[in-house]
């Protein structure tokens, strides 16, 4: 079943520093996903704590927060059919060693702690994470991209 969904994606500091912004955005655009919001920002300690609250207390938590606040990230809201699951297929497994060939993490990362990109793992997380990084007025959905028009016109829904 096709469900229109929005999800949160962030290119992490290692991805930004390595000049991968364009490569990564291209993958989502070519898939036909619509970018509803996009910005480069420095994550505050407060945003990092909210984003990673489920990992609080884990042995890697302090390193995780240090890393995500170490340089700018590129945050975005991505919309498309079954976007949460579909984006995670493109991103690949959390540990790049287990990521399928052709995914972003398989292609650009070696270790779990510097895995280049984050993508929400559920619709609930997506809405929570979007609200950490974006105000409502920064999300622009009053336009149609080509993939949306084609699918709507074919009456596949
Ligand atoms: P991400 O899925 O973006 O969000 C949580 C991050 O925590 C994950 O990417 C990894 O970068 C990191 N992470 C998850 N599990 C571990 C772990 N066992 N050791 C170190 N880092 C981890």
């Amino acid at each position: 079943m096709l469900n229109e969904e929005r999800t949160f994606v962030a290119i992490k500091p290692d991805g930004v520093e390595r000049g991968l912004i364009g490569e990564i955005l291209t993958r989502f655009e070519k898939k036909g996903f619509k970018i509803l919001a996009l910005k480069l920002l420095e994550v505050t300690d407060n945003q990092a704590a909210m984003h990673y609250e489920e990992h609080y207390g884990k042995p890697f938590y302090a390193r995780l927060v240090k890393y995500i606040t170490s340089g700018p990230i590129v945050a975005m809201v991505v919309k498309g059919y079954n976007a949460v699951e579909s984006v995670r297929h493109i991103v690949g497994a959390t540990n790049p060693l287990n990521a399928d060939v052709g995914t972003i993490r398989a292609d650009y990362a070696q270790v779990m702690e510097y895995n280049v990109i984050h993508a929400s793992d559920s619709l609930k997380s997506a809405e929570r994470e979007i609200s950490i990084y974006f105000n409502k007025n920064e999300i622009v959905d009053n336009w149609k991209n080509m993939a949306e028009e084609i699918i709507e016109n074919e009456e596949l829904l």
Side-chain angles (χ1 to χ4, degrees), residues 12 51-52 54-55 58 60 63-64 67 88 94 105 111-115 117-119:
K12 296 179 178 179
H51 185 153
Y52 287 130
E54 70 177 293
H55 298 294
K58 294 183 183 170
F60 57 87
R63 287 198 305 275
L64 193 57
Y67 158 51
R88 282 175 72 87
T94 306
R105 285 173 173 159
V111 295
M112 182 143 59
E113 290 183 340
Y114 301 99
N115 60 2
I117 187 162
H118 167 83

Side-chain angles (χ1 to χ4, degrees), residues 9 16 20-22 30 53 57 62 74 86 89 93 102 132 138 140 146 151 153:
V9 176
V16 174
L20 297 174
I21 298 171
K30 284 187 174 168
E53 70 180 13
V74 170
S86 192
H89 278 308
I132 294 171
E138 293 176 302
V140 182
M146 208 179 283
I151 294 172
N153 290 341

Side-chain angles (χ1 to χ4, degrees), residues 1-47:
M1 196 169 123
L2 289 177
N3 297 312
E4 268 203 322
E5 294 175 356
R6 19 185 246 175
T7 191
F8 175 76
V9 176
I11 304 172
K12 296 179 178 179
D14 54 330
V16 174
E17 280 159 21
R18 289 170 55 201
L20 297 174
I21 298 171
E23 300 265 350
I24 291 172
L25 281 178
T26 295
R27 292 186 183 215
F28 294 120
E29 284 197 309
K30 284 187 174 168
K31 177 78 175 175
F33 287 135
K34 185 158 83 164
I35 310 292
L36 303 187
L38 181 67
K39 67 179 167 190
L40 183 133
L41 70 135
E42 286 180 309
V43 177
T44 64
D45 288 343
N46 192 33
Q47 283 173 318

Side-chain angles (χ1 to χ4, degrees), residues 51-136:
H51 185 153
Y52 287 130
E53 70 180 13
E54 70 177 293
H55 298 294
Y56 184 75
K58 294 183 183 170
F60 57 87
Y61 177 79
R63 287 198 305 275
L64 193 57
V65 170
K66 190 173 170 198
Y67 158 51
I68 203 70
T69 56
S70 67
I73 68 162
V74 170
M76 66 191 102
V77 179
V78 173
K79 184 176 175 184
Y81 295 99
N82 299 62
V84 170
E85 187 183 352
S86 192
V87 163
R88 282 175 72 87
H89 278 308
I90 293 170
V91 164
T94 306
N95 187 340
L97 277 178
N98 303 326
D100 289 335
V101 172
T103 60
I104 292 169
R105 285 173 173 159
D107 287 354
Y108 299 123
Q110 296 184 52
V111 295
M112 182 143 59
E113 290 183 340
Y114 301 99
N115 60 2
V116 173
I117 187 162
H118 167 83
S120 307
D121 63 4
S122 67
L123 272 179
K124 200 173 161 206
S125 306
E127 288 311 310
R128 197 183 74 81
E129 290 166 5
I130 288 168
S131 72
I132 294 171
Y133 293 98
F134 291 98
N135 295 320
K136 280 201 168 66

